[in-house]
Amino acid sequence: KAGVTQTPRYLIKTRGQQVTLSCSPISGHRSVSWYQQTPGQGLQFLFEYFSETQRNKGNFPGRFSGRQFSNSRSEMNVSTLELGDSALYLCASSLDNNQPQHFGDGTRLSIL
Amino acid sequence: AQSVTQLDSHVSVSEGTPVLLRCNYSSSYSPSLFWYVQHPNKGLQLLLKYTSAATLVKGINGFEAEFKKSETSFHLTKPSAHMSDAAEYFCVVSSLHGSSNTGKLIFGQGTTLQVKP
């Protein structure tokens, strides 16, 4: 069974641009969560989608948004990029809230 | 609100010696607890999970953890360290809404395990 797939693996953008990251969950998993990992703040929850609906949201500004498609694939978008948005963005999928989350290898976003 | 505290930011052991990574948690209800490992430039891999069944949980690669409610601890152990165990380890609790799990994980700050030959 294929794992969680995130694309692209690496991305370089400049301040003010916007970016879209993609996540394909494990087949059959309907919950997709996104996390930001930085050296200073560690791993922080961004949001979670289940059956195309956002169920939970972390404490990030509105520049961070996401969506989930009918096939459970998910995208997250960051607009008006700031230097502080440089991070590893991790996607995780699970069957439901009572099952463990399985992580992809992440997208490393660098803002110049 | 739930939280986890990893008591050591860095642990160094010699190959073949035991590993102990310490984690304390805070939760109003019986929590779901996890240990994940992250190797450089990789995502997180689930080592083991506790979900109110047996208090001693066995995971992959010889790791295990013991849930101690009286001490609010969930320490990770391994009898004999291997060079390939060198990585960052995260203690994680599932955020609760009331007594039900949400889709949000709360991470400790991580412990870097160094294994010396």
Side-chain angles (χ1 to χ4, degrees):
Chain A
K1 206 174 203 183
V4 178
T5 304
Q6 292 188 245
T7 55
R9 286 295 314 278
Y10 302 94
L11 206 49
I12 299 174
K13 292 286 187 178
T14 57
R15 282 181 297 173
Q17 289 186 309
Q18 67 92 28
V19 67
T20 299
L21 312 181
S22 179
C23 172
S24 293
I26 292 172
S27 178
H29 286 193
R30 296 166 64 190
S31 172
V32 175
S33 298
W34 289 88
Y35 297 85
Q36 182 196 63
Q37 184 176 25
T38 60
Q41 300 299 316
L43 278 146
Q44 294 184 288
F45 172 78
L46 280 156
F47 28 65
E48 184 235 353
Y49 287 86
F50 186 89
S51 293
E52 303 179 65
T53 300
Q54 187 182 88
R55 286 200 302 193
N56 288 286
K57 191 176 189 305
N59 297 321
F60 279 81
R63 301 185 297 107
F64 292 81
S65 63
R67 60 178 175 168
Q68 187 180 32
F69 302 95
S70 58
N71 62 358
S72 294
R73 190 177 71 85
S74 177
E75 290 181 347
M76 68 163 279
N77 184 275
V78 188
S79 62
T80 320
L81 286 165
E82 301 176 359
L83 292 177
D85 297 333
S86 294
L88 180 67
Y89 290 89
L90 292 163
C91 168
S93 75
S94 65
L95 282 167
D96 58 45
N97 285 341
N98 294 316
Q99 299 299 319
Q101 294 185 18
H102 298 268
F103 285 79
D105 284 341
T107 294
R108 185 165 295 281
L109 175 63
S110 299
I111 311 302
L112 304 180
Chain B
Q2 293 75 44
S3 65
V4 288
T5 302
Q6 292 183 244
L7 301 175
D8 306 291
S9 59
H10 187 271
V11 169
S12 181
V13 302
S14 297
E15 189 175 21
T17 64
V19 176
L20 170 63
L21 305 183
R22 299 182 296 163
C23 172
N24 286 351
Y25 70 90
S26 172
S27 180
S28 303
Y29 294 93
S30 183
S32 292
L33 290 161
F34 311 85
W35 276 98
Y36 283 86
V37 61
Q38 186 177 33
H39 289 91
N41 298 315
K42 301 289 282 185
L44 286 84
Q45 181 184 20
L46 178 68
L47 282 176
L48 50 80
K49 63 177 179 178
Y50 167 77
T51 52
S52 74
T55 56
L56 183 62
V57 183
K58 293 190 183 299
I60 62 172
N61 301 336
F63 284 95
E64 61 181 38
E66 186 172 7
F67 175 75
K68 290 187 176 180
K69 187 174 182 178
S70 60
E71 299 175 10
T72 61
S73 68
F74 189 58
H75 301 335
L76 182 70
T77 60
K78 182 174 181 177
S80 176
H82 191 272
M83 295 297 292
S84 62
D85 294 328
E88 189 155 18
Y89 292 79
F90 293 94
C91 182
V92 182
V93 65
S94 182
S95 175
L96 298 172
H97 179 71
S99 60
S100 300
N101 287 321
T102 70
K104 173 182 177 180
L105 298 180
I106 299 168
F107 289 80
Q109 285 298 103
T111 299
T112 300
L113 176 64
Q114 179 187 24
V115 183
K116 297 177 290 186

